[in-house]
Amino acid sequence: MKHNPGCLGKICPLALEIFLVISSCQIAVAADDVQFNTDVLDLKDRSQIDLSQFSQAGYVMPGSYTLAVQINNNTLPEREIQFFAPDDDANKSYACLTHDVVEQLGLTEASAKKLTWWHNNECLDPASLPGMSVAGDLGTSAVKVNLPQAYLEYTAENWDPPSRWDNGIAGVLFDYSLNGQTIHQQQGSDSKTLSGNGVAGMNVGAWRFRADWQGNYSHRTDNSGGNQQDWSWSRYYLYRSIAAARAKLTLGEDYLSSDIFDSFRYTGASLISDDSMLPPNLRGYAPEVTGIAKTNAKVTISQQGRVIYETTVAAGPFRIQDLSNAISGKLDVKIAEEDGSSSQYQVDTATIPYLSRPGRVRYKFSTGKPSNYDHHSQGPVFGTGEFSWGVSNGWSLFGGGLTAGDYTSLALGVGRDLMAFGALSFDITQSRAVVPEEGTKQGGSYRLSYSKRFDETDSQVTFAGYRFSERNFMNLNQYMSAKYQGYKQANSSKQLYTISFSQQFRDWRTSLYLNYGHQTYWDHPTNNTYNISMSRYFDFMMFKSLSANISAFRSEYNGLKDDGAFVSLSIPWGGGGTLSYDASYSGGSNSQRATYSNSMGDHDSYSLGAGVTRDNRVSGSSYLSHQGDFSEMNFNGSFEGNRYLGAGASMRGGITATAKGAALHRISATGGTRMMVDTGGVSNVPVRNSGAPSYSNMFGKTVVGDVASYYRNSINIDLNKLGEDVEATRSVVQGTLTQGAIGYRRFGVIAGHKAMAIIKLSDGSTPPFGATILNINKDQTGIVSEDGMVWLSGIKPEEKMEVNWDGEAQCVITLPSTLPDGNLLLPCVADAK
């Protein structure tokens, strides 16, 4: 907050006098009433004093105000709050918390039954719960409710009970991720590609409508040439949260989410218990994708033809960890290098064993018809259901079934929480299918899973899994292909090993990561992927916080094999920069490179590299990242001797529009939860959630993307970057939003010039000492001193402000269109309305 540069004129005496009055006050019989000794004031006329606002703690004049509701440390959205004077004392005022507001306080059922009401049974009586207090604070534009924790439902750090979840406001959104790349080959063809994917959507109440889109354009100069382009809406669906059931309801096109059965695309409906609605320590985790890029590269992650995630990465190891935890099944990963080469592999989204807490039942139900990428349904109606029941403190029972025409699959398993030794589960799935020309085929699939979370070491996760499937075991995808496309049972899985391990050794300042996948088939080449890396921070002589990393990878996919290794050493250098040396081995050749990287403020970072590649070719690379208000942009370029010259760019962002306003903004998780924040029409206000701040647009709006669902998010104004003519009366807002919501919060922001003014009434007198000035948003902009003098803030040309005393607005001042030098003389006249 930018404070007044200092006391001017009689403002310092005013502050001192009010302090002395309060210090010499005599406490009356009522605890919240204060009587002031005005004899200490150096005033000509002590009859012209209005200290009513100081005589009662949290006193607010009767009327309607737009205020946030703060419950202990949690802030609910702004709303209209009425303040009423009790029938027996017109000098008092109390906030009216209606039944709708009280429902969001998160009271336990027993506490809610004890509540009493006043003002025609419309307003909560705080005295009904001992220790509860309610006070208005116009300085922070809030009503503060203090409640003993015993009256509240279970809460955790940054997590609120369902009664406080916010479905947001109605609006539309369009999110995008665009990637462009051009490569000039010295010997061979040139190519240009432009690809994109994203989500269009609309929110109405608790419902979210989403449409996923993706497109691609490519041009080559060789004989294969010409242009190739395609655009498609890959999925249409509706969903909403069902808070009472801790579940998510989805209608439309979707991919089967299952911890037991293989995923497939379908059109229908599902009801799935949602772990993200649980406190953070009870939630699962999202899949992650790791790999190593040989050059600046584009990484595309897809599932059954639908692009899920696409981004550009700099040369070296990468780790993508911001995928949705709703994704399950196998993911296809493609790394397109700038030198024109590419590599592909699959990642199995390993999940922790299917365990549930004692007495809790988790479930998933889905029904519909299998469909293809062209939105055409094919095959019989299917139904599937699965559950996990926490039988006792250590054991869980889980299972499920899937049926579709002549296909049936049943599963049953058991899980055991081994406490300090992790968790273990085992399950059996049996399938039966009647296949044309092949008759009835039956087979089993057996799976063993193990996991352990190390919460004491930054929640590191270990996962290991083994699965064996008999030759005649079929999943629904294989059955559909055999029956409707006439394909024999190809690519039938035999064995699958999966290991994902990461651990930190704090005393040694070392971290280790391992990911391994081994897939064998009955009639298809073996696929292998592994990635292992180790990094360590250390000091050496005069150099501090050096970093060393070694990584190795292998990809064996559809008969194609790619092995490689990567070693790097990084040294802090030059005012926050990093100088690094790395060497890599891949495809039978070596390369070396030196890179310098640094940041330029909060929004920009860059890297420049030079080295020697295979065949002793000189190479160079550059990478620039910009966190803009409207989008996140990355630019890269590289060359390798007389072989190729490449450049690329990517842009990720979105636009969100509501009845409250619209804004372009950054976003990573397309279609996800976001918060629109309002700075009261003031532009260029820096707003920060995490990472670089974004600035409000010309309409005083900005959108904070990538807000966590069902998690208490705090968004604040960066006071250090606030303009000189701007003050923040409320610089922090909070909200717990349901999945996909567009939240809305308003900061308390006063913008405008500051000046000394003298206020005169129509009869030539002045407002009483202590009268307050409020702007159109009911923000206090000044307090009247002796002789009508006031230090006004937030002055805007021709703006009107109210002058209040005796518990109500008495008259209105109108500011001039041009501020003169010296003090302002402002007549206060009766409001025309």
Side-chain angles (χ1 to χ4, degrees), residues 309 340 357 365 482 778:
Y309 190 95
R357 298 231 163 195
F365 297 105
K778 301 295 184 180

Side-chain angles (χ1 to χ4, degrees), residues 262-265 304 370-371 402 407 474-485 487:
D262 293 325
S263 180
F264 60 89
R265 182 187 175 100
Q304 299 181 34
S371 61
L402 189 157
Y407 176 85
M474 299 182 73
N475 60 35
L476 187 60
N477 277 326
Q478 293 170 330
Y479 164 73
M480 295 289 293
S481 297
K483 183 171 182 177
Y484 295 99
Q485 277 83 42
Y487 298 147

Side-chain angles (χ1 to χ4, degrees), residues 682-709:
V682 182
S683 63
N684 211 39
V685 176
V687 176
R688 187 188 293 271
N689 179 25
S690 60
S694 57
Y695 289 79
S696 57
N697 60 22
M698 60 184 297
F699 304 106
K701 304 292 190 299
T702 188
V703 171
V704 177
D706 305 319
V707 171
S709 306

Side-chain angles (χ1 to χ4, degrees), residues 313-484:
V313 297
F318 64 86
R319 191 172 179 182
I320 298 173
Q321 298 177 285
D322 52 352
L323 299 177
S324 169
N325 58 12
I327 296 173
S328 63
K330 285 187 173 61
L331 302 179
D332 298 304
V333 181
K334 181 179 180 180
I335 305 175
E337 309 283 356
E338 271 194 338
D339 62 4
S341 64
S342 64
S343 59
Q344 291 179 291
Y345 56 93
Q346 285 187 320
V347 174
D348 188 75
T349 56
T351 59
I352 60 176
Y354 204 174
L355 303 183
S356 294
R357 298 231 163 195
R360 175 170 170 79
V361 176
R362 296 157 59 198
Y363 55 87
K364 298 183 177 184
F365 297 105
S366 301
T367 185
K369 295 189 72 175
S371 61
N372 57 28
Y373 189 76
D374 294 324
H375 313 287
H376 296 142
S377 298
Q378 187 178 53
V381 174
F382 78 91
T384 179
E386 59 189 79
F387 74 96
S388 175
W389 172 37
V391 179
S392 66
N393 201 34
W395 292 94
S396 289
L397 181 68
F398 61 93
L402 189 157
T403 180
D406 295 329
Y407 176 85
T408 303
S409 183
L410 297 173
L412 187 64
V414 63
R416 172 63 180 174
D417 187 349
L418 303 176
M419 309 304 288
F421 298 100
L424 185 71
S425 69
F426 174 74
D427 63 90
I428 301 174
T429 303
Q430 188 75 23
S431 72
R432 179 183 183 276
V434 179
V435 182
E437 301 181 2
E438 295 186 55
T440 301
K441 304 186 72 171
Q442 299 186 68
S445 181
Y446 311 89
R447 180 174 60 170
L448 182 68
S449 300
Y450 170 80
S451 76
K452 175 165 175 57
R453 282 185 177 273
F454 298 95
D455 292 326
E456 66 276 10
T457 55
D458 300 328
S459 299
Q460 300 301 304
V461 178
T462 301
F463 175 88
Y466 170 76
R467 184 166 188 166
F468 175 80
S469 299
E470 297 175 347
R471 178 181 288 271
N472 286 334
F473 175 81
M474 299 182 73
N475 60 35
L476 187 60
N477 277 326
Q478 293 170 330
Y479 164 73
M480 295 289 293
S481 297
K483 183 171 182 177
Y484 295 99

